[in-house]
Amino acid sequence: SAVISQKPSRDICQRGTSLTIQCQVDSQVTMMFWYRQQPGQSLTLIATANQGSEATYESGFVIDKFPISRPNLTFSTLTVSNMSPEDSSIYLCSARRQGASDTQYFGPGTRLTVL
Amino acid sequence: GENVEQHPSTLSVQEGDSAVIKCTYSDSASNYFPWYKQELGKRPQLIIDIRSNVGEKKDQRIAVTLNKTAKHFSLHITETQPEDSAVYFCAASRDTGGFKTIFGAGTRLFVKA
């Protein structure tokens, strides 16, 4: 199984600022993803982090708001830019080694509160 | 776009009874269907999965069935225990188009002792 760590685990931020969340996987993985989970809600895919190229964003999410980097096979960052209270949520990193049929693991999440 | 519907949103059972959660998916190219359990404040954990070439899979008290024609899949938990109480998510994924996984809305299961 893949072990995924994220930092920070939580943060409280002021409106208009930006926060970068880091995700580290303990072994090389093919696919890395970023999800958002509002309290009591399901997991919504923000984007697929592509190594060495621009991330692939889902409908409703844009690069200017959620820039993503993935410099290698084990590390990715998600930045939440120009934050507003509506961005308060849990952000989860996820990874999978090979194809779609391989187990997808999740990081512990980053709980973000925007005041 | 792709969509996964999940029912019921809340399920309350007596300890020892069975629980069934049902999902439907819209993308006919989906070929992998995992189920995750999420306890309060924790990350989702895979509990069982099924691939499109299999109709049923069982792991102790947990089983999953898949009907590809109807685009339905279900989770069955038998002999429920209080520690089964959690939120369960179904999901659908495919080997093309980015390998992304789409999740259902979740079912909050309460097992009463």
Side-chain angles (χ1 to χ4, degrees):
Chain A
S1 63
V3 176
I4 304 175
S5 59
Q6 280 182 240
K7 58 180 181 181
S9 59
R10 60 177 62 221
D11 206 342
I12 300 173
C13 302
Q14 295 297 320
R15 181 196 301 260
T17 63
S18 297
L19 175 72
T20 295
I21 303 168
Q22 297 181 8
C23 176
Q24 180 73 54
V25 187
D26 69 337
S27 58
Q28 292 189 347
V29 292
T30 303
M31 316 296 296
M32 292 185 75
F33 308 91
W34 287 96
Y35 285 83
R36 183 171 73 183
Q37 187 174 30
Q38 309 276 18
Q41 302 296 314
S42 184
L43 297 97
T44 301
L45 181 63
I46 297 172
T48 301
N50 301 309
Q51 188 210 351
S53 65
E54 190 172 292
T56 304
Y57 290 84
E58 296 300 306
S59 176
F61 298 95
V62 295
I63 187 171
D64 290 346
K65 177 66 176 178
F66 298 100
I68 289 171
S69 78
R70 189 180 173 191
N72 57 51
L73 289 175
T74 63
F75 185 78
S76 179
T77 66
L78 167 73
T79 299
V80 186
S81 303
N82 187 25
M83 289 183 287
S84 66
E86 292 73 37
D87 295 320
S88 298
S89 188
I90 297 173
Y91 293 84
L92 293 132
C93 175
S94 182
R96 186 160 57 208
R97 280 207 180 86
Q98 296 180 6
S101 298
D102 195 29
T103 301
Q104 185 167 344
Y105 299 95
F106 285 86
T110 296
R111 182 180 295 272
L112 171 62
T113 302
V114 184
L115 304 177
Chain B
E2 306 93 339
N3 186 47
V4 177
E5 293 191 359
Q6 183 172 349
H7 301 281
S9 57
T10 305
L11 179 59
S12 183
V13 300
Q14 202 68 37
E15 181 178 4
D17 289 349
S18 294
V20 180
I21 302 170
K22 299 182 178 182
C23 291
T24 60
Y25 60 98
S26 61
D27 184 0
S28 57
S30 296
N31 56 3
Y32 174 62
F33 307 91
W35 286 86
Y36 287 83
K37 175 183 181 181
Q38 188 176 31
E39 296 176 325
L40 188 62
K42 297 188 177 181
R43 74 187 80 188
Q45 297 275 12
L46 180 75
I47 56 171
I48 194 168
D49 57 14
I50 190 167
R51 289 166 174 76
S52 59
N53 57 347
V54 175
E56 183 174 357
K57 183 177 178 180
K58 188 173 182 179
D59 183 4
Q60 299 183 354
R61 296 186 296 108
I62 296 173
V64 58
T65 59
L66 171 65
N67 182 331
K68 278 203 69 181
T69 302
K71 298 182 188 174
H72 290 172
F73 58 114
S74 301
L75 178 72
H76 304 252
I77 305 175
T78 59
E79 301 172 26
T80 53
Q81 302 166 3
E83 50 265 38
D84 294 329
S85 297
V87 178
Y88 291 81
F89 293 100
C90 64
S93 184
R94 56 183 168 129
D95 288 327
T96 59
F99 306 101
K100 60 186 180 183
T101 301
I102 304 300
F103 286 81
T107 295
R108 188 172 298 275
L109 175 64
F110 298 95
V111 181
K112 296 175 287 186

